[in-house]
Each structure stands twice: as structure tokens, then as C-alpha cells.
């Protein structure tokens, strides 16, 4: 344990992290966001899902520093009379959960496809990559919107809302996996002719063992880089779907559905219901993107261009 | 080259068949064409008769072939809500979306070209850093938030620009096919905010793309030779260097136009813009299956056509693509 910590401390990754203020700041903020979403029930002033705490008479109270604001609701309340700060923290929690789960699902599908295509090659490769290419030629947001529209018509709005979290994970997972498949395949193609793979084959290891124990670990750098950037993308997609009314319901709002809900009230001057969750969302995505950019530059400068 | 074109077109047709199969499967599973035609107030016996007459009891494959046959002839079913052929509804809404995409495309070209070139030539100035920082921020702002903030600032607070709808439109050809907002002052005013928000998604990408391509070209030998010949900087930058960055930019632009169509669903919702995206979401709310499928097929074919054309053009320009046989 001690040795691995020391190894980490001496590593190039840690060295460049220490010398990059942007990376440190964004890592710090991201840590805050994650802690906030894990400890949401403890830190948020009210429980927004509990109908006891909401009173419709409290709706659209402005933030406490404006006229008419009160110190019981720091950032004001939304149109249903829920404390905006608590609802935002719970919304962040949902966005983060969906983000992480959907990225895990994408990574799983993409790694399976990419690894098989790259290592087995031949017809399997052609078929799998053709599928990925075809899906890749459609923007992932479009694919996600279509799948969720179909799910919504199929299940009906009621049961869609009950199952919203797992359904969103599946929708977003299914719509963005080609990113992984393509990169993993490229990495596997580079690895599979190296000597260590040859050696593993010579001593008679089976195909799955070579694929998962020997080649996969050597492609994990690119998985790490993509995963970071994908978390930001997934959170954005989820917000977009929720904003369109195809995602989280207003009773259990994510940041996107909170923005959708607040948008209807922006014309009457209640800007805070939209703007505060908006800033929260932008900050989270920005921080993850900055970290992803930094990771990409440090680990694998040739992964993406531009 | 001929073989490459044939292969690309065959692939495009295959993709269209897959899309139509998905569309038809959904329609077959959740749609109800009898309801689409006669509504809810018909006895079950009569429904059964209509079902039989429409051939809804035929095997799946037969029905699918009939669906494709109709689709090729431009018949994608009736919209339950509009009581019109679904394709007509889409064609009616298409100009609104097209105008928004064209406006946004123009904005992107006008803004990203000078900024991209400037930031590549003078990467260390304050303005360049500002632009690059701004584009990092821009990637992280969802388009609907940009739109909402623009509405709040210019519509609600300053009252400078209208915040929803298309404003006054004129009938260009006199047959109601293209109601345009391009030719009235009011229509143009309504276009400004939607176009800015739609352009804001692509701007960071293009500024970075032009910048990195340009910086790469500026390092090449022939540029050094041009400097050694003593050409004027403007001529080197704009004629020699910039010309060679255009190819990748144009290809990406072709693909991104398609992606902008996807994002119109979001901008149209915010601005209540009566285009295809808005129609699509309304169709979801009304469970108007035929219209949904028609939209899927139309948008799918637009994508497939754009991608195929871009690929073929790219194949003409860059021979390595067609040898690799993508």
C-alpha cells in the first residue's frame, strides 16, 4: 500500500497535476460536487421529495438578498414552494448518478464490442464496426431523443416517470457507446501484434484471458480519458432530455427538469428557478471537461485532435 | 473511384432499410392505423373489418414490404392529429427549421473564420486567450441554457428582441409552400436569438478546428519557403496557409449541419419555433405514431444523404479514403 502511494507520488501524472492550477482547482470543485451529491440528505436544508416540507404558499420566493426573500430559503423557492437549494442538490445527485451509471454502461458495451472487433478481426470486426459507424453517423443526442420518445410512447408517460432513472441510463448508454468501441478497437489493433501478446499466445493462454487480462489493461488509459469527457457529455444529454420533458419528472427533478420547470416562470420575473440550476449544471460540466482536457493532454496527446 | 461510390451508395441504401425496419417495427408494435383513420368512435366489428381491409392481419414481412413500397412513393401514413399525410405536415414545417439552420450556419462562418485565423496567428495575445477560454466555457453550456439566458437578457429585461415565435412571414412562391421570415424586418428580428443560440454549440468547435489546422499548416515547409521568398504576411496567411485549412473545415461543416438539425429540437422548444423539432415533440406528447415514424425516416434519410455526399466528395479529394475502403 505504502509503496503504491509512493509510486503514485513519483508518477508523471501526479507531477503534472501539482503543477497545473486549473487541474487542481477543477479537481477540488469536482470533489465538492461529488461529496455534495453523496451527502445530499445530510447537507441540504430540506428534503424536497417530502410533501410535508412544501407549501404552495411559499412558491416563487426570491433569494434571500432580494426584496421579499427570507433567510429560511437561501436561494429562494421554486414554483411548487420547494427550497431551491435543496432541490438543486438533490437534482445534482440524480444527474451524477445517471452520469456515472450511463458512462459505465457505455463503457461496458463499447469495450466488449471494441475488444472483440479489434482482437478477433475479420468478419466480426467488419460487422461490429459497421454498426458502430452507422450509429456514429447520427448525432448521439438525436439517437437518445428518439429512443426516449419511443420509450415514452411505448410505456406511457406514467410508468416512464416511475422508471425514469434506469430508463435514462439505458437510453444514454445505448446512444453513446460507439465512442468507446472505436477508440478501444484502435488501441487493441496497436497492441495485439506486440511481443507480449505473442508470448501469451505461445504459452497457450485462451483467447478471453489474453483479451481481458493482457490487452485490456493496456488500453485503459484511453478508457480513462474518454470516460471523464463522457461524464460531462452524459450529464449534458440527460439535462437536454429532461429539458425536453423526455427525462426526469418534475416531482423528482434533475437539474435539467428544474430548468425546464423554471423556464415557464422566467417571463414573470422569477429568474432564479432557471438561472441557479443552470449555473450549477454549467459549473459541473465545465469542471469535468477541464479535468478531461488535462487528463487527455497528460496521458495521451494523440487521442483526439483539436 | 466508381467502386467506392457504388459501395457508399449501397451502404446508404442498407442504412435506410435498417431505419425503415426500426420505424416500421415501432409502428407495428405501438401504433394503431385504424385509430389514425377513423378515431375512437367506431364499433369493434367495423374496426376488425377495416383492419382486414388495410391488410393489418398479414404477416410482418408482407406489411413491411408494403410500408417500404409506400414510403418510396412518398406515402408515410396519416398523422392522427393533423388528419393529413404525415409527410405533408413535415414538409410544411421544414422551411422554418431550414431557415434557422441556414441563419446559424452563416453566423458560424462569419464568426469562426476570422476568430480561428486570428487566434492561430497571434496565440499569445490577450484577445486570443480570451477567445480560447470562452470557447472552453462555450462547450460546457447546454444550448437551451444559452437560449434561455438570451431570452432573459434581450427579451425580458431589455425588450430589444422578441423571445418566441417566427414573427411576420411572407409567402415566397405564392403557393404556401415556403412561408419565409427572411424577407420581413419582423421575421429577421425573430431569427436573431434562435440563430445565435444554435450557432453557439458549433462555434467553439469550429474556432478550435480552424485554429489547430492553421497552426499545423503554418509549420510546413512551403510556408517557410514563402516567407523566404519575401511574400507579404497577408498573402502568406490568407492565400497560402488558409486555403489549405479549408478542406477539413468544409468536411466537418457538412457533418455538423446534420448535427445542428438534432439541436434544433432543443432551440425550437425554447423559442416555440414552429418547425420540425417542435412538431416532433408535440407528436410525442400526442402519441402521434405515424408522424413520429415519418420524422424518423425523413431525418434519417437527410443524415444518410448528407453523410454519403460528404464521403464521396471527400473520396474525390483524398484518395487514401477510398483505398482504405471505409
Amino acid at each position: 500500500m505504502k509503496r503504491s502511494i509512493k509510486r503514485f507520488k513519483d508518477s508523471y501524472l501526479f507531477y503534472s497535476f501539482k503543477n497545473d492550477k486549473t487541474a487542481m482547482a477543477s479537481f477540488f470543485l469536482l470533489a465538492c460536487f461529488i461529496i455534495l451529491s453523496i451527502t445530499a440528505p445530510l447537507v441540504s436544508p430540506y428534503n424536497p421529495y417530502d410533501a410535508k416540507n412544501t407549501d404552495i404558499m411559499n412558491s416563487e420566493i426570491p433569494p434571500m438578498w432580494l426584496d421579499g426573500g427570507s433567510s429560511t430559503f437561501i436561494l429562494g423557492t421554486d414554483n411548487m414552494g420547494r427550497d431551491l437549494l435543496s432541490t438543486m442538490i438533490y437534482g445534482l445527485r440524480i444527474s451524477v448518478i445517471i452520469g456515472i451509471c450511463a458512462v459505465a454502461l457505455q463503457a461496458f458495451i463499447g469495450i466488449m464490442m471494441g475488444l472483440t472487433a479489434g482482437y478477433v478481426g475479420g468478419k466480426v470486426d467488419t460487422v461490429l464496426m459497421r454498426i458502430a459507424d452507422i450509429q456514429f453517423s447520427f448525432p448521439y443526442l438525436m439517437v437518445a431523443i428518439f429512443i426516449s420518445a419511443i420509450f415514452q410512447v411505448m410505456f406511457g408517460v406514467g410508468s416512464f416517470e416511475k422508471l425514469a432513472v434506469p430508463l435514462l441510463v439505458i437510453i444514454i448508454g445505448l446512444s453513446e457507446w460507439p465512442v468507446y468501441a472505436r477508440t478501444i478497437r484502435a488501441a487493441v489493433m496497436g497492441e495485439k501484434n506486440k511481443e507480449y501478446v505473442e508470448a501469451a499466445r505461445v504459452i497457450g493462454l485462451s483467447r478471453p484471458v489474453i483479451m481481458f487480462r493482457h490487452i485490456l489493461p493496456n488500453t485503459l488509459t484511453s478508457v480513462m480519458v474518454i470516460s471523464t469527457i463522457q461524464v460531462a457529455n452524459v450529464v449534458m444529454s440527460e439535462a437536454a432530455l429532461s429539458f425536453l420533458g423526455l427525462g426526469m419528472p418534475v416531482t423528482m427533478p434533475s437539474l435539467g427538469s428544474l430548468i425546464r420547470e423554471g423556464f415557464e416562470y422566467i417571463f414573470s420575473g422569477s429568474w432564479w428557478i432557471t438561472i441557479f440550476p443552470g449555473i450549477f449544471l454549467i459549473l459541473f460540466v465545465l469542471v469535468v471537461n477541464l479535468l478531461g482536457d488535462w487528463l487527455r493532454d497528460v496521458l495521451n496527446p494523440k487521442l483526439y485532435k483539436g | 473511384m466508381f467502386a467506392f461510390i457504388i459501395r457508399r451508395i449501397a451502404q446508404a441504401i442498407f442504412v435506410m432499410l435498417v431505419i425503415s425496419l426500426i420505424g416500421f417495427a415501432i409502428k407495428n408494435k405501438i401504433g394503431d392505423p385504424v385509430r389514425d383513420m377513423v378515431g375512437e368512435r367506431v364499433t369493434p366489428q367495423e374496426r376488425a373489418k377495416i383492419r382486414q381491409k388495410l391488410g393489418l392481419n398479414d404477416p410482418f414481412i408482407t406489411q413491411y414490404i408494403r410500408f417500404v413500397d409506400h414510403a418510396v412513393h412518398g406515402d408515410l401514413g396519416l398523422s392522427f392529429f393533423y388528419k393529413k399525410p404525415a409527410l405533408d405536415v413535415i414538409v410544411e414545417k421544414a422551411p422554418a427549421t431550414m431557415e434557422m439552420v441556414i441563419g446559424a450556419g452563416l453566423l458560424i462562418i462569419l464568426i469562426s473564420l476570422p476568430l480561428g485565423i486570428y487566434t492561430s496567428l497571434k496565440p499569445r495575445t490577450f484577445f486570443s486567450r480570451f477567445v480560447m477560454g470562452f470557447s472552453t466555457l462555450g462547450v460546457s453550456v447546454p444550448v437551451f441554457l444559452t437560449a434561455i439566458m438570451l431570452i432573459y437578457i434581450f427579451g425580458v429585461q431589455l425588450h430589444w428582441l422578441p423571445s418566441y415565435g417566427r414573427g411576420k412571414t411572407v409567402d415566397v412562391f405564392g403557393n404556401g409552400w415556403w412561408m419565409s421570415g427572411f424577407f420581413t424586418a419582423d421575421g429577421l428580428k425573430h431569427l436573431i436569438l434562435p440563430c445565435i443560440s444554435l450557432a453557439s454549440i458549433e462555434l467553439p468547435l469550429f474556432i478550435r478546428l480552424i485554429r489547430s489546422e492553421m497552426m499545423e499548416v503554418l509549420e510546413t515547409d512551403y510556408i517557410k519557403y514563402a516567407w523566404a521568398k519575401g511574400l507579404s504576411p497577408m498573402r502568406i496567411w490568407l492565400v497560402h496557409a488558409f486555403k489549405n485549412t479549408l478542406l477539413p473545415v468544409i468536411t466537418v461543416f457538412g457533418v455538423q449541419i446534420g448535427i445542428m438539425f438534432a439541436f434544433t429540437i432543443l432551440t425550437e422548444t425554447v423559442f416555440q419555433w414552429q418547425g420540425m423539432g417542435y412538431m416532433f415533440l408535440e407528436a410525442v406528447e400526442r402519441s402521434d405514431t405515424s408522424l413520429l415514424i415519418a420524422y424518423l425516416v425523413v431525418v434519417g434519410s437527410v443524415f444518410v444523404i448528407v453523410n454519403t455526399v460528404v464521403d464521396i466528395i471527400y473520396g474525390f479529394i483524398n484518395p487514401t479514403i477510398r483505398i482504405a475502403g471505409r
Side-chain angles (χ1 to χ4, degrees), chain A residues 137 139 142 150 236 271 289 305, chain B residues 26 139-140 152 213 299 303:
Chain A
S137 65
M142 198 77 168
I150 290 161
M236 290 260 260
W271 51 270
N289 268 335
K305 195 180 173 192
Chain B
I26 297 162
V139 174
S140 308
Y152 186 69
E213 290 294 334
V299 171
F303 270 100

Side-chain angles (χ1 to χ4, degrees), chain B residues 128-157:
Chain B
S128 294
R129 282 163 195 254
F130 175 74
V131 169
M132 291 318 286
F134 204 76
S135 76
T136 314
L137 183 68
V139 174
S140 308
V141 182
V143 57
F144 53 89
L145 265 177
T146 320
I148 290 174
M149 285 179 195
L150 286 175
I151 287 182
Y152 186 69
I153 295 170
F154 294 104
V156 180
Q157 286 296 321

Side-chain angles (χ1 to χ4, degrees), chain B:
Chain B
M1 190 60 215
F2 185 67
F4 172 73
I5 293 177
I6 295 292
R7 202 162 51 219
R8 273 315 268 117
I9 290 177
Q11 190 185 329
I13 293 173
F14 174 72
V15 175
M16 274 325 294
L17 283 179
V18 171
I19 292 175
S20 64
L21 185 63
I22 295 173
F24 178 71
I26 297 162
K27 190 176 180 161
N28 203 33
K29 197 91 192 138
I30 55 181
D32 185 355
V34 179
R35 187 197 71 157
D36 292 0
M37 280 178 69
V38 296
E40 311 275 351
R41 282 180 229 133
V42 178
T43 60
Q45 287 84 3
E46 266 177 78
R47 269 162 195 277
K49 217 185 278 169
I50 299 172
R51 275 192 85 81
Q52 188 63 37
K53 215 171 97 196
L54 288 174
L56 294 174
N57 299 329
D58 293 350
F60 184 82
I61 297 291
T62 329
Q63 289 194 52
Y64 171 62
I65 292 171
R66 197 183 304 138
F67 174 77
V68 172
D69 184 42
H70 286 174
V72 170
H73 291 99
D75 173 15
L76 287 167
L78 284 174
S79 159
F80 169 62
F81 179 78
Y82 290 94
K83 304 279 179 239
K84 275 198 289 195
L87 200 61
D88 288 5
V89 179
I90 294 178
V91 168
E92 209 170 273
K93 303 276 183 187
T97 305
M98 295 291 285
E99 279 178 11
M100 198 200 272
V101 171
I102 291 171
L106 284 178
L107 273 183
I108 291 172
I109 295 171
L110 288 179
I111 298 174
S112 68
L113 281 184
L115 284 184
I117 294 176
Y118 180 80
T119 47
S120 68
L121 296 177
K122 303 260 188 304
R124 305 225 163 266
T125 57
F126 173 74
F127 183 65
S128 294
R129 282 163 195 254
F130 175 74
V131 169
M132 291 318 286
F134 204 76
S135 76
T136 314
L137 183 68
V139 174
S140 308
V141 182
V143 57
F144 53 89
L145 265 177
T146 320
I148 290 174
M149 285 179 195
L150 286 175
I151 287 182
Y152 186 69
I153 295 170
F154 294 104
V156 180
Q157 286 296 321
L158 297 172
H159 295 292
W160 286 357
L161 293 166
S163 48
Y164 55 84
R166 291 185 67 196
K168 202 164 162 250
T169 52
V170 284
D171 194 346
V172 179
F173 297 124
N175 56 2
W177 185 77
W178 183 19
M179 301 297 289
S180 174
F182 274 158
F183 304 103
T184 59
D186 190 44
L188 285 175
K189 250 184 171 176
H190 280 81
L191 264 166
I192 296 176
L193 291 186
C195 288
I196 293 179
S197 10
L198 192 57
S200 73
I201 332 163
E202 303 286 339
L203 268 180
L205 177 82
F206 276 96
I207 294 176
R208 284 174 180 210
L209 179 75
I210 293 172
R211 177 175 178 266
S212 67
E213 290 294 334
M214 189 82 175
M215 283 176 124
E216 213 167 90
V217 171
L218 285 174
E219 295 296 311
T220 51
D221 284 343
Y222 74 89
I223 296 292
K224 284 180 192 149
Y225 177 65
W227 283 113
K229 271 205 302 192
L231 296 180
S232 74
M234 271 303 165
R235 192 171 164 78
I236 294 175
W237 289 333
L238 296 184
V239 179
H240 291 257
F242 177 61
K243 209 170 65 186
N244 284 296
T245 63
L246 270 180
L247 179 61
V249 175
I250 290 172
T251 0
V252 175
F253 193 75
V255 176
Q256 294 293 323
I257 286 272
I259 291 180
M260 269 166 42
F261 265 98
F263 281 99
T264 54
I265 299 181
L266 284 164
T267 36
E268 284 180 9
T269 315
V270 179
F271 290 101
Q272 296 174 34
W273 191 264
Q274 295 294 330
M276 285 156 67
Y278 195 72
M279 178 211 77
F280 171 74
L281 277 184
E282 280 183 332
V284 174
E285 274 166 29
R286 293 171 184 147
S287 303
D288 196 340
T289 330
S290 298
L291 197 52
L292 277 187
I293 303 307
Y295 183 79
L296 173 80
V297 172
V298 168
V299 171
S301 39
V302 168
F303 270 100
V304 170
I305 291 169
V306 167
N307 275 324
T308 311
V309 170
V310 167
D311 265 11
I312 290 177
I313 292 175
Y314 204 66
F316 270 114
I317 301 167
N318 184 358
T320 50
I321 284 277
R322 44 182 210 251
I323 293 165
R326 212 169 70 85

Side-chain angles (χ1 to χ4, degrees), chain A residues 107-108 111-116 119 184 188 196 206-220:
Chain A
F108 179 75
I111 288 175
M112 284 301 171
M113 296 286 224
L115 203 56
T116 322
Y119 189 70
I184 298 292
V188 171
Y196 74 93
S206 70
R207 207 182 237 181
V209 173
I210 299 178
M211 271 163 64
F212 289 98
R213 293 290 302 275
H214 294 247
I215 295 182
L216 184 60
N218 285 303
T219 62
L220 283 184

